[in-house]
């Protein structure tokens, strides 16, 4: 590349001059390329260790005038080819011009101006987005691509100097972290180390310190453990590695590939050596932390944060903390964790103004809201800029209708934007027994046409309880009063100050009348609901009447959702539950519906109206319990792993016992997925849900540890899993809420009782208190860190399970071993993932459907298949290999969707690697018949022919139609046979027998014999010959194979000719009879002698071959045997009476040599050896006959090809030769990351 001319004082230091002229020098850096001795090794090592290679390319061109001692660097190159191109341009375009100048200063000025002009012209064509990255970073990225063979779409995120420990020896080099790979390169005293690891292959990332490795990062894959140390900033590096591995896991989990955010604000100050991609990832990490801390919607992006203090009127203090500003919210978090959290939605803000500074309030900012609350922030560093940013966001905030805070929390509203709906009394017949017809009509929330749950079902179905008047009722009133006092001091609604006192009130249980309101607030669901008015109603309307797998599962589970509660013994409750679950399945088809969602949603509907329950479900599934409710419950498995880790840390005595019993994996899923609602009495579990919405998953883990701790002694004495489950089940059954004002609901969890002693009751509030006392030091940040670690483990474990399932499913039908299939699966999956990284328009991600069986989830297209085929096939055909790959792909793609799954892939590979000669030839034969062979390909094989006759097209069409009609007829017969069975099956217990019979028929129909294969036409046979000639080009016995295939091809062409004459005579005779009844009687008279004539013709062939010495080394005995066998076979195969051949025809047909009769236009023979003679290429009458047009009557059968092949030992040995596919896979992995070390294409970095 051209460089802006830079002054160089010492031209000879560390450089060797290779070319020179009066004005320019071309130099190579010592240590680059071959030779160089010890000096070269030292220079090469220094370049890598000091990263001088990121700034110094291996080749450069200097400009110098004769009398000057100063040199100017004008160009550099990463390879000799690149630098030579620049050198030749200078010689051709500048040398003659420069010789005219008299003044050396003018020469230098002219050269510098010319080079600057070239650079300016090149920069015009550069893409503008790359300008965001600093120059040095671009150089490093270019170096990375060249060093590791990465395409341009693979983006470098950052690179670090570090040491890789190979054994006990540290190799100093550079670690490159790209979006999809971790790469390392080191060159130390002539020894080179190159590592390339895909992030999707990483199973564990750890930052630890040992005696051997001082503060290092350990990267584990399924095959190896790698240690990197000596980082300048190990925390930054490890954090970035975690992010990239996490992105890769998301890709494996839900096909969510990485897309760079182009809308990032530009930094106010230029950032040295930080790429735009690194800024993007840093911004993502901050956004995720911000959203998790304040429970904000998933699309909220943090704009910035600053240190400040918040004046808290409830305790008259300035609390130090940080203010966070985003598009729609202003948030505050105190430095002390429990002191104060605050969320101010900009939609609620009325005034933002700068107040007067004072010693008490320096640089204050006041923010007023619609609910008449005012917040004072002080000690702001850049107040003016902050006010401007908030004003900008306020202008973009859509204006909402004024809505008082009291009206927001009215419980008789179906939707904040709709008119009020009158409350339904519990005695109303509509509430108690609505008609089913009403509940199935389209929903119109505002008009109230359908009985929708416009308030919590608990209010509608609360039975008159005496508890409301007793001590429990009084306790409930006291709780409500406590919360009302809290609201008056700390505010109500989204802008409430959230402090330790708020948490204390939640721990004591939220009053039933406030439960729905506070769940919406603490979960953040309220924010999404008020910013999406009418969204739920639209979803319900769109999803009405739509049927899918999710809706079927929902219908099946509706009546299993809290059937003991009166609200769900009624159509009103069931209909509300149906609408909420169906609407969510319609909103998020990735999750759709998962068991346990019905239990959680039914509880939400008891305290909230339908829309509120829907948004709470959204918050639960998409933010608070991520990945819990997908098809593989990954999130629950991740938190189960965290629970096991916490058990080891806090209850080490119990941990080992629980591990032996395997209890944790059983209990945690039911506890976590349903938030204890399915294992505890309802009145107690709902208090757990209260705390969960305030604290998050931290509280669930905390309570789970407390439950194990309370039962530790009994669990340590258990002998098996069943006993442990009984102990825990009995304990949870007897967790009671003595303060509940609702009548007790019978708990349908298994009633586990033993012994005569009555079970001991455990108060839920005591259990919560104990959990805070013993395990409250759990931190949300630590849990997120642990989630990442466990996610790697869980997803890789699921991928291993998927691999085993797929391999087990295909192993019975395929000749490969289990080990070979596993390796092939890894290669196949890697090719699919590569298309996700680098596939541009392939839309690979859209092909993967998580709901499909594992075997169908990864599918590749033709281009990817070709790449795999070329690297793995045992039949290397040179330039013809991609053509063969395309044909095999079409053969395997039975459903014609242009994609094949793993089973289809290994079926194709197995056909080439396993089986005897017959099986392998059968595969090769099929590759030259439709559908594998395209009509266009047969045309390309016949370049000498100007066109096909109409007969060819008609016959091919007739053949295809005949095949289709045969298949259709078979299908009809099969349907007529199976029709009665299908009608009978219904709900009969014998259904499985019907399916077994159908499966057996399918299995039987797949078995085909060589008799079932259709005959091959002449153009198809020519394509087969072309493939065979290309196949042997690099074989050790290449010449012998060429002679063998020439012999076989010539023989088969003659057989086809003979067969054509036998099959054509009867057809001609019948046609002539129709046209003219006076047929020459000679044909009938001579017909008895036809067999004799044919035999004599076959006997004459060895003599002809023996006499014609110019045609190669024919073997008369073998040829006689071939001709006799195959000639007879041909006659039998045609099934027609043998006709008399005239002397001329016999002579003409049998006088050819045993070598090929294919014409020059019919067969491309560029790769055939010089000493191979093709008689058909001579200007004989037969060549004229076959070269001009295609003989449509000519055909050959598979049996004839097989028999001919068996006569040639060289061909038999070639096809029966065993090839090790594991070695091919190993070589393929090396080739993918291979880089050249030759001097012409040396892959080093390029200076900028």
């Amino acid at each position: 590349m051209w460089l802006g001319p830079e002054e160089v004082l010492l031209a000879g230091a560390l450089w060797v001059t290779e070319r020179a002229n009066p004005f320019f020098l071309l130099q190579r850096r010592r240590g680059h390329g071959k030779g160089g001795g010890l000096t070269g090794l030292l220079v090469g090592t220094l370049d890598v260790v000091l990263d001088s290679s990121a700034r110094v390319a291996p080749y450069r061109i200097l400009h110098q005038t004769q009398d000057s001692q100063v040199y100017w660097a004008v160009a550099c190159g990463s390879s000799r080819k690149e630098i030579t191109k620049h050198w030749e341009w200078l010689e051709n375009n500048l040398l003659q011009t420069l010789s005219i100048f008299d003044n050396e200063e003018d020469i230098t000025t002219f050269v510098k101006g010319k080079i600057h002009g070239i650079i300016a012209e090149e920069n015009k064509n550069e893409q503008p987005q790359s300008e965001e990255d600093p120059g040095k970073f671009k150089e490093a990225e270019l170096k990375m691509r060249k060093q590791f063979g990465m395409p341009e779409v693979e983006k470098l995120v950052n690179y670090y100097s570090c040491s890789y420990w190979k054994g006990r020896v540290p190799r100093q080099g550079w670690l490159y972290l790209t979006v999809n790979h971790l790469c390392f390169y080191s060159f130390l005293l002539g020894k080179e180390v190159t590592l390339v690891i895909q992030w999707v292959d990483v199973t564990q990332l750890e930052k630890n310190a040992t005696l051997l490795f001082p503060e290092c990062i350990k990267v584990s894959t399924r095959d190896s453990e790698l240690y990197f140390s000596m980082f300048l900033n190990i925390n930054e590096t490890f954090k970035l590695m975690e992010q990239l591995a996490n992105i890769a896991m998301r890709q494996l989990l839900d096909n969510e590939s990485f897309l760079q955010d182009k809308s990032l604000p530009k930094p106010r100050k230029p950032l040295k050596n930080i790429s735009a991609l690194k800024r993007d990832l840093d911004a993502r990490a901050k956004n995720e932390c911000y959203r998790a801390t304040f429970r904000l919607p998933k699309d909220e992006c943090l704009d910035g944060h600053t240190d400040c203090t918040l004046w808290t009127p409830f305790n008259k203090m300035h609390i130090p903390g940080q203010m966070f500003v985003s598009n729609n919210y202003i948030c505050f978090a105190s430095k002390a964790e429990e002191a104060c959290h605050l969320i101010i939605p900009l939609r609620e803000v009325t005034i933002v103004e700068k107040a007067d500074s004072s010693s008490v309030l320096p640089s204050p900012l006041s923010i007023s809201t619609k609910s008449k609350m005012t917040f004072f922030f002080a000690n702001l560093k850049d107040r003016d800029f902050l006010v401007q940013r908030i004003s900008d966001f306020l202008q973009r905030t859509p204006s909402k209708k004024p809505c008082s805070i009291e009206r927001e929390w009215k419980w008789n509203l179906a939707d904040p934007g709709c008119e009020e709906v009158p409350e339904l009394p519990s005695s109303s017949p509509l509430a108690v027994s609505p008609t089913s017809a009403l509940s199935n009509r389209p929903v119109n929330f505002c008009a109230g046409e359908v009985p929708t749950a416009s308030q919590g079902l608990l209010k509608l179905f609360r039975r008159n309880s005496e508890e409301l008047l007793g001590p429990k009722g009084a306790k409930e009133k006291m709780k409500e009063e406590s919360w009302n006092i809290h609201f008056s001091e700390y505010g109500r609604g989204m802008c409430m100050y959230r402090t330790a006192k708020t948490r204390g009130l939640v721990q004591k249980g939220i009053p039933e009348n406030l439960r729905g309101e506070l769940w919406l607030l603490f979960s953040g669901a309220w924010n999404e609901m008020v910013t999406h008015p009418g969204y739920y109603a639209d979803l319900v309307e769109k999803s009405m009447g739509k049927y899918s797998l999710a809706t079927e599962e929902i219908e099946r589970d509706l009546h299993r959702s809290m059937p003991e509660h009166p609200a769900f013994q009624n159509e009103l409750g069931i209909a509300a539950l149906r609408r909420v679950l169906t609407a969510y399945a319609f909103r998020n088809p990735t999750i759709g519906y998962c068991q346990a969602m019905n239990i959680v949603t039914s509880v939400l509907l008891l305290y909230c109206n339908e829309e509120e329950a829907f948004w709470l479900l959204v918050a639960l599934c998409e933010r608070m319990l991520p990945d819990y409710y997908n098809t593989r419950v990954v999130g629950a498995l991740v938190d189960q792993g965290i629970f096991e880790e916490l058990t080891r840390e806090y209850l080490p005595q119990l941990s080992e016992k629980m591990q032996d019993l395997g209890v944790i994996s059983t209990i945690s899923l039911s506890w976590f997925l349903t938030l204890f609602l399915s294992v505890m009495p309802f009145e107690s579990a709902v208090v757990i849900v209260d705390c969960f919405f305030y604290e998050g998953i931290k509280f669930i883990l905390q309570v789970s540890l407390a439950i194990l701790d309370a039962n530790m002694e009994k669990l340590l004495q258990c002998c098996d899993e069943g006993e442990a489950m009984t102990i825990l089940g009995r304990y949870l059954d007897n967790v009671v809420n003595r303060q509940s004002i609702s009548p007790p609901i019978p708990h349908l969890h298994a009633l586990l009782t033993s012994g005569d002693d009555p079970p001991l009751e455990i108060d839920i509030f005591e259990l919560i208190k104990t959990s805070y006392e013993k395990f409250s030091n759990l931190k949300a940040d630590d849990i997120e860190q642990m989630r990442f670690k466990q996610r790697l483990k869980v997803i890789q474990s699921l991928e291993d399970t998927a691999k085993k399932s797929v391999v087990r499913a295909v192993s019975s039908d395929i000749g490969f071993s289990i080990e070979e299939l596993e390796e092939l699966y890894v290669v196949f999956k890697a090719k699919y993932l590569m298309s996700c990284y680098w596939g541009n328009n392939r839309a690979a991600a859209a092909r993967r459907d998580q709901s499909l069986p594992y075997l169908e989830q990864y599918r590749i297209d033709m281009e990817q298949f070709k790449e795999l085929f070329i690297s793995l096939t045992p039949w290397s055909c040179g330039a013809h290999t991609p053509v063969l790959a395309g044909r095999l792909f079409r053969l395997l793609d039975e459903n014609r969707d242009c994609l094949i799954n793993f089973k289809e892939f290994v079926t194709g590979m197995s056909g080439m690697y396993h089986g005897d000669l017959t099986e392998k030839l059968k595969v090769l034969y099929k590759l030259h018949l439709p559908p594998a062979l395209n009509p266009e390909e047969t045309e390309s094989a016949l370049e000498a022919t100007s066109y096909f006759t109409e007969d060819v097209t008609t016959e091919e069409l007739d053949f295809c139609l005949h095949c289709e009609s045969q298949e259709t007829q078979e299908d009809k017969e099969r349907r007529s046979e199976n029709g009665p069975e299908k009608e009978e099956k219904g709900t009969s217990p014998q259904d499985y027998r019907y399916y077994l019979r159908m499966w057996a028929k399918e299995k039987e129909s797949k078995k085909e014999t060589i008799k079932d294969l259709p005959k091959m036409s002449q153009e198809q046979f020519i394509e087969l010959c072309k493939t065979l000639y290309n196949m042997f080009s690099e074989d050790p016995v290449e010449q012998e194979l060429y002679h063998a295939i020439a012999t076989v091809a010539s023989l088969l062409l003659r057989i086809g000719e003979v067969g054509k004459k036998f099959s054509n005579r009867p057809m001609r005779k019948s046609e002539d009879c129709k046209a003219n009844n006076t047929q020459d009687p000679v044909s009938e008279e001579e017909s008895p002698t036809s067999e004799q004539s044919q035999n004599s013709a076959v006997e004459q062939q060895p003599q002809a071959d023996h006499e014609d010495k110019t045609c190669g080394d024919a073997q008369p005995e073998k040829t006689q045997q071939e001709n006799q066998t195959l000639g007879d076979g041909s006659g039998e195969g045609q099934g027609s009476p043998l006709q008399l051949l005239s002397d001329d025809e016999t002579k003409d047909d049998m006088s050819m040599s045993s070598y090929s009769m294919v014409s020059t236009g019919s067969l491309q023979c560029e790769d055939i050896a010089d000493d191979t003679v093709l008689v058909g290429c001579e200007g004989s009458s037969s060549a004229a006959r076959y070269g001009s047009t295609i003989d449509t009557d000519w055909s050959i059968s598979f049996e004839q090809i097989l028999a001919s092949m068996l006569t040639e030992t060289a061909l038999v040995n070639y096809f029966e030769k065993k090839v090790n596919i594991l070695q091919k896979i190993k070589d393929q992995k090396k080739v993918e990351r291979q880089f050249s070390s030759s001097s012409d294409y040396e892959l080093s970095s390029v200076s900028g």
Side-chain angles (χ1 to χ4, degrees), residues 117-129:
I118 294 170
I119 293 171
E121 191 64 32
E122 284 182 347
N123 287 343
K124 281 183 186 177
N125 303 324
E126 283 190 3
Q127 295 181 345
Q129 60 264 27

Side-chain angles (χ1 to χ4, degrees), residues 113 159 198 241 277 356 375 475 974 1077 1139 1153 1182 1211:
Y159 62 104
Q198 291 187 14
M241 290 168 84
L277 210 53
D356 295 331
F375 304 94
K475 182 78 174 173
R974 199 174 294 147
N1077 290 330
Q1139 300 296 323
S1153 80
S1182 63
L1211 291 174

Side-chain angles (χ1 to χ4, degrees), residues 479 507-509 676 680-689 691 699 703 707 731-732 734-740 761-771:
K479 280 187 187 178
Q507 287 172 28
K508 292 174 184 175
F676 288 95
M680 251 187 213
F682 169 73
E683 300 84 7
S684 306
V686 82
V687 182
I688 300 277
V689 178
C691 297
F699 178 75
V703 169
I707 292 168
Y731 179 87
L732 290 169
N734 292 290
V735 176
V736 297
N737 179 2
R738 298 190 180 95
Q739 299 177 14
S740 175
E761 290 187 342
I762 301 96
D763 186 69
I764 182 64
F765 298 105
E766 284 299 318
L767 178 62
I768 291 172
K769 184 181 176 186
T770 305
S771 75

Side-chain angles (χ1 to χ4, degrees), residues 1194-1221:
W1194 190 98
S1195 67
I1196 200 84
S1197 69
F1198 176 73
E1199 293 100 314
Q1200 291 164 339
I1201 291 176
L1202 175 62
S1204 302
M1205 289 278 198
L1206 286 170
T1207 62
E1208 294 292 337
T1209 311
L1211 291 174
V1212 173
N1213 291 340
Y1214 179 85
F1215 282 104
E1216 290 193 340
K1217 180 173 59 180
K1218 298 289 183 187
V1219 181
N1220 184 0
I1221 195 167

